[in-house]
Amino acid sequence: MKLLRFGPQGQEVPGILDAEGNVRSLDGRIPDLQGEGVSLAALDAIRSIDVQSLPVVTPDRIGACLADMPNFHCVGMNYAKHAAETGAEPPTEPILFSKATSCLSGPFDPVVIPRGSTKSDWEVELGVVIGRYASYVTEDEALDYVAGYCTLNDVSERAYQFDHGGQWVKGKSAPTFGPTGPYLVTADDVPDPQALRLDLSLNGETVQDSNTSDMIFTVAQIISHMSQFMALRPGDVIATGTPSGVGLGMKPPKFLKPGDVMELEVEGLGRQRQDVVAAQ
Ligand code: ZN
């Protein structure tokens, strides 16, 4: 299933893409897509709905595919070439950090460069949405805990990330720094999360172009590893790292400016497009 949320900002309702690519409304039929609303049990309940009986809608706006998330976890340096371009050694265990959940943004909403920013950057990533409470799970069973997958842009401010002490969260969390969607594609429709092309273009020029097969730690390894340190809950999101081609790694480095356009996609999960705008 491809689930989505549509409507004006803050008033989105859930929907589903039918076999013909029409958006059909699930408004009033299911809880909003967040937390327990995307648990494996909740997804099974959606599967029992006759999609053809739902009204077709033509939304003006597609919002983030999740209304909110309990946690927005991220994995750093999970592609060898990206680690190299940032000057870091490839990690021997997954590097974990987080984004403030208030950065959640729609896939087509503008990305706002925060006040004082000079180093805002892009990161296309495979997003994993957890569907079941996960604690101490093995690698073999880890993918059974996944509700689905989505396209993510882990927008990052490199000066805030590296030059202000403490953790990366400062550079990862500004409002609109988490475009998520357009679709939550359920795990049954993603047979192999390690075989998905992902790419990002800036103003029409491809700058990131890789495949999730190049991840250092697989989705299953990441979930199993994380679950040794914390419990994951339905609706938690894990951004699984970005491949090479970010602005920080360019010579000279290149960062976002108002008027730029980012377009990005993870194969099969839907394309995003964001206009970059200055803070008001
Ligand atoms: Zn990232």
Side-chain angles (χ1 to χ4, degrees), residues 62-75:
I62 304 290
C65 62
L66 295 167
D68 203 348
M69 46 185 87
N71 283 291
F72 199 159
H73 296 293
C74 306
V75 181

Side-chain angles (χ1 to χ4, degrees), residues 75 97 123 125 154 172 241-242:
V75 181
F97 63 96
E123 294 193 349
E125 304 198 11
D154 175 18
K172 297 286 189 172
T242 201

